[in-house]
Amino acid sequence: MRVSVVILPDARWSQARAKWLDAQRRGFSTAWTYDHLSWRSLRDGSWLGTVPLFGAVAELTTTLRFGTLVTSPNFRHPAVLAKDAMTLDDLSDGRFDLGIGAGGTGFDAAVLGADPLEPAQRAARFEEFVVALDHLLREPAASHTGDYFTVHDSRTYPGCVQRPRVPFTIAAAGPKALRVAARYGQRWVTFGPVVANSGPEDWYRVVAEQSSRLDAECELIGRDPGTIRRLVLVGLELDWPQSSVGAWDEFSGRVARMGFTDVGIHWPRPEDPALPGPPVSVFDEISSRLT
């Protein structure tokens, strides 16, 4: 089981750089951050831009993989994102992972003045977004014409260090998104039920159903379901799996038996009672086992 960590971009680089170095020292498989323009209760607080932040992370670290969890078409265009992803992959000598999601209905969806999309429209836009990114990152010269995005003769020279392109981690819960994950993802990520603070058994049931649907989608296209990694993200507000070391061990063991290969935990935020993440002592014990 690989253990990754999410570091929110909610502090100035002079303060945050030590966390990224510490994530590498602790032995996390990947360090993620959220690609938003603003986020939830932190909307009016410090929040750095993901792409330039990752340029600094690429230069600062030497072995740590890092990536978006997740970026979305709410404010990203595939041609620009493909160029940025290719560049981050180059700066890090192949340590970048591109996490992609459909995008919700919050601040990021409205900040550019776009009309709200219905769920079916968001799903269709998401699929087109991933298809375009896959093409743009595989081919040095590519075009795309769709319902939501147009790309005329774009260039992504010199191409990705990782071949045939940077790996995609696809966030998916519903059938349409899981179909996209099965076709284009090197890894699938879920945070479980949409309803916050689900009890353990409800949470496991929903995640098991999602995983089974992913298996079915893989089989429909002739893909071995075992070839896609599976990451479960423990939300900041999901207290029961990370309340103690024992609870974490039980949780990790159970999701491993369900077929998950990766588990993600947030860097502790004890200063924020609303979104604290794991207790510092639990986080330290979990990470002490990684090296």
Side-chain angles (χ1 to χ4, degrees), residues 103-221:
T105 58
F107 308 127
D108 290 348
V111 69
L112 299 183
D115 293 331
L117 298 180
E118 296 296 325
Q121 293 174 307
R122 287 204 308 274
R125 184 185 64 170
F126 173 53
E127 182 174 10
E128 184 181 324
F129 188 63
V130 175
V131 169
L133 282 168
D134 178 66
H135 190 198
L136 289 160
L137 286 166
R138 287 175 183 270
E139 302 295 334
S143 298
H144 172 84
T145 301
D147 295 328
Y148 296 94
F149 302 103
T150 300
V151 180
H152 290 301
D153 205 20
S154 181
R155 297 289 189 272
T156 49
Y157 292 114
C160 297
V161 174
Q162 301 175 88
R163 296 294 183 177
R165 56 156 168 76
V166 298
F168 287 177
T169 294
I170 305 290
K176 293 181 180 179
L178 286 165
R179 191 171 306 130
V180 174
R183 186 170 295 275
Y184 296 100
Q186 282 64 61
R187 177 164 40 201
W188 163 58
V189 57
T190 181
F191 57 84
V194 175
V195 178
N197 294 319
S198 298
E201 293 310 314
D202 283 342
W203 190 96
Y204 287 122
R205 176 183 55 79
V206 170
V207 170
E209 290 171 355
Q210 292 172 349
S211 189
S212 293
R213 285 199 296 266
L214 180 64
D215 289 345
E217 293 296 340
C218 286
E219 290 165 359
L220 282 174
I221 61 172

Side-chain angles (χ1 to χ4, degrees), residues 7-27:
I7 302 173
L8 298 189
D10 60 347
R12 291 190 180 276
W13 179 243
S14 58
Q15 300 169 291
R17 68 189 308 275
K19 287 184 181 178
W20 291 91
L21 278 174
D22 200 15
Q24 177 173 268
R25 180 189 64 79
R26 288 174 185 254

Side-chain angles (χ1 to χ4, degrees), residues 4-288:
S4 58
V5 65
V6 178
I7 302 173
L8 298 189
D10 60 347
R12 291 190 180 276
W13 179 243
S14 58
Q15 300 169 291
R17 68 189 308 275
K19 287 184 181 178
W20 291 91
L21 278 174
D22 200 15
Q24 177 173 268
R25 180 189 64 79
R26 288 174 185 254
F28 286 105
S29 63
T30 308
W32 308 95
T33 202
Y34 295 151
D35 186 26
H36 291 285
L37 297 178
S38 57
W39 188 68
R40 295 172 67 171
S41 61
L42 306 181
R43 185 184 185 190
D44 294 319
S46 298
W47 194 268
L48 300 186
T50 303
V51 171
L53 171 66
F54 276 163
V57 170
E59 182 66 20
L60 177 71
T61 59
T62 55
T63 59
L64 181 70
R65 294 194 66 83
F66 59 92
T68 54
L69 202 68
V70 291
T71 193
S72 83
N74 270 347
F75 60 91
R76 297 290 187 192
H77 189 282
V80 179
L81 180 59
K83 178 70 77 171
D84 287 343
M86 180 269 292
T87 301
L88 291 170
D89 196 48
D90 185 70
L91 292 174
S92 64
D93 195 24
R95 292 183 286 121
F96 179 65
D97 285 86
L98 185 60
I100 315 168
T105 58
F107 308 127
D108 290 348
V111 69
L112 299 183
D115 293 331
L117 298 180
E118 296 296 325
Q121 293 174 307
R122 287 204 308 274
R125 184 185 64 170
F126 173 53
E127 182 174 10
E128 184 181 324
F129 188 63
V130 175
V131 169
L133 282 168
D134 178 66
H135 190 198
L136 289 160
L137 286 166
R138 287 175 183 270
E139 302 295 334
S143 298
H144 172 84
T145 301
D147 295 328
Y148 296 94
F149 302 103
T150 300
V151 180
H152 290 301
D153 205 20
S154 181
R155 297 289 189 272
T156 49
Y157 292 114
C160 297
V161 174
Q162 301 175 88
R163 296 294 183 177
R165 56 156 168 76
V166 298
F168 287 177
T169 294
I170 305 290
K176 293 181 180 179
L178 286 165
R179 191 171 306 130
V180 174
R183 186 170 295 275
Y184 296 100
Q186 282 64 61
R187 177 164 40 201
W188 163 58
V189 57
T190 181
F191 57 84
V194 175
V195 178
N197 294 319
S198 298
E201 293 310 314
D202 283 342
W203 190 96
Y204 287 122
R205 176 183 55 79
V206 170
V207 170
E209 290 171 355
Q210 292 172 349
S211 189
S212 293
R213 285 199 296 266
L214 180 64
D215 289 345
E217 293 296 340
C218 286
E219 290 165 359
L220 282 174
I221 61 172
R223 179 177 183 178
D224 178 358
T227 63
I228 183 168
R229 298 190 66 85
R230 299 171 193 233
L231 165 63
V232 61
L233 176 63
V234 179
L236 282 163
E237 69 283 354
L238 196 66
D239 53 1
W240 55 267
Q242 52 190 339
S243 59
S244 67
V245 174
W248 179 263
D249 289 343
E250 180 180 352
F251 171 78
S252 297
R254 186 158 175 179
V255 295
R257 292 190 294 274
M258 293 167 62
F260 281 85
T261 58
D262 301 69
V263 64
I265 191 170
H266 286 75
W267 201 279
R269 305 181 70 256
E271 74 284 355
D272 185 351
L275 297 168
V280 173
S281 60
V282 174
F283 180 82
D284 287 344
E285 175 60 24
I286 292 168
S287 62
S288 72

